[in-house]
Amino acid sequence: MEAQLLDSAVALFSLTAMEVVLGIDNIVFLSIVVGKLPKEDQRLGRSVGLLAALGFRIALLFAASWLASLTEELFSVFLFKVTGRDLIMLSGGLFLIAKSTSEIHHKIESEEKGSLSEDKKSSFGRVVSQVIVLDIIFSIDSIVTAVGLSGDFYVMASAVVLSMLIMLAFSGPVGDFINAHPSMKVLALSFLILVGVMLFADGLHFHIPKGYIYFAMAFSLLVEFINMRARKAGPSPSERNP
């Protein structure tokens, strides 16, 4: 009995950590999209977005047999077998690439015009609908991985709830930090483009380990933090007196 409880505790910790790591993409996208809402609506937008993700993931746990059917062949193109999961990954990747590219374009265009009014035009319903679309994609990716690691419904459900509580606690500070630093926002959008490429490649049966994406992002963040510190310190004496 004690051994079983220990196994469940280890599985719960592992799955919760995995869900948080896999949810980084979701938090970044959520922070950027919700940042287009008025300040007073952003907290509600984050809560609705994460609760929607929680609802999708719990529902998918109940539909484990349906998840298994997503890996079955729907049709083939020459020798390439297309499954339901492939279609979801392909469409989700394209959506994420197009959305992130559009956000970068709007940001640069707004800065050139000296106005940020473009960032304030999104309605609450539009923002939530965009978050829900990406929640579906990320939820399928997350739950398929969880089901492969543990067959215990209660352990998986507990891990999903705990990870969402952790993400809800950190989504606000992360979102505020991203939106307060324009260069960090562009970096986050570039990260989402990489995630979109990874999803699209996955739909083509070409697996790119997420560790590569996260390492690239971590290295870019380190460089940007150094740049931010250098800008805050001001020009060096040699730069002030050429």
Side-chain angles (χ1 to χ4, degrees):
M1 182 67 178
E2 292 182 359
Q4 185 177 1
L5 288 175
L6 180 60
D7 290 342
S8 296
V10 171
L12 177 61
F13 176 80
S14 301
L15 284 174
T16 301
M18 183 206 70
E19 289 288 332
V20 171
V21 171
L22 292 178
I24 291 174
D25 315 339
N26 206 346
I27 289 180
V28 172
F29 182 82
L30 182 70
S31 300
I32 291 173
V33 177
V34 169
K36 297 172 73 68
L37 290 173
K39 189 70 176 178
E40 61 272 15
D41 293 335
Q42 291 181 11
R43 184 174 181 181
L44 178 61
R46 283 192 294 267
S47 299
V48 171
L50 289 175
L51 286 175
L54 176 61
F56 279 121
R57 295 183 187 192
I58 296 296
L60 287 174
L61 286 176
F62 282 106
S65 59
W66 177 74
L67 280 177
S69 69
L70 288 178
T71 59
E72 297 176 0
E73 180 184 350
L74 294 178
F75 57 90
S76 61
V77 179
F78 299 106
L79 298 178
F80 183 77
K81 298 179 180 179
V82 181
T83 67
R85 184 178 180 277
D86 294 337
L87 294 178
I88 293 174
M89 293 297 107
L90 288 169
S91 58
L94 287 175
F95 174 80
L96 200 53
I97 293 170
K99 178 62 180 175
S100 301
T101 303
S102 174
E103 289 293 327
I104 292 175
H105 171 73
H106 287 164
K107 179 169 183 55
I108 293 175
E109 190 177 62
S110 297
E111 289 180 351
E112 288 177 348
K113 293 179 179 179
S115 169
L116 296 178
S117 60
E118 190 71 24
D119 291 336
K120 301 297 182 182
K121 293 183 179 179
S122 292
S123 66
F124 187 85
R126 182 180 178 185
V127 167
V128 170
S129 64
Q130 290 175 359
V131 171
I132 288 176
V133 169
L134 259 294
D135 279 342
I136 295 174
I137 307 300
F138 291 138
S139 295
I140 289 176
D141 186 30
S142 173
I143 296 303
V144 165
T145 306
V147 171
L149 292 178
S150 174
D152 191 324
F153 173 83
Y154 295 104
V155 170
M156 291 187 292
S158 300
V160 168
V161 173
L162 286 174
S163 65
M164 282 299 162
L165 291 176
I166 293 172
M167 287 190 284
L168 184 60
F170 285 97
S171 62
V174 169
D176 292 340
F177 181 77
I178 289 176
N179 290 313
H181 298 84
S183 60
M184 196 62 68
K185 186 173 182 179
V186 173
L187 189 62
L189 287 167
S190 301
F191 169 60
L192 289 176
I193 291 177
L194 286 178
V195 174
V197 171
M198 182 187 66
L199 290 175
F200 188 81
D202 197 3
L204 295 176
H205 301 175
F206 183 77
H207 180 66
I208 302 175
K210 272 198 170 185
Y212 294 158
I213 305 294
Y214 290 146
F215 175 79
M217 186 61 181
F219 180 77
S220 301
L221 278 174
L222 177 61
V223 173
E224 182 56 29
F225 282 137
I226 294 173
N227 285 332
M228 288 170 62
R229 188 174 181 85
R231 287 194 296 266
K232 189 175 181 180
S236 64
S238 60
E239 291 175 331
R240 287 195 296 265
N241 301 300

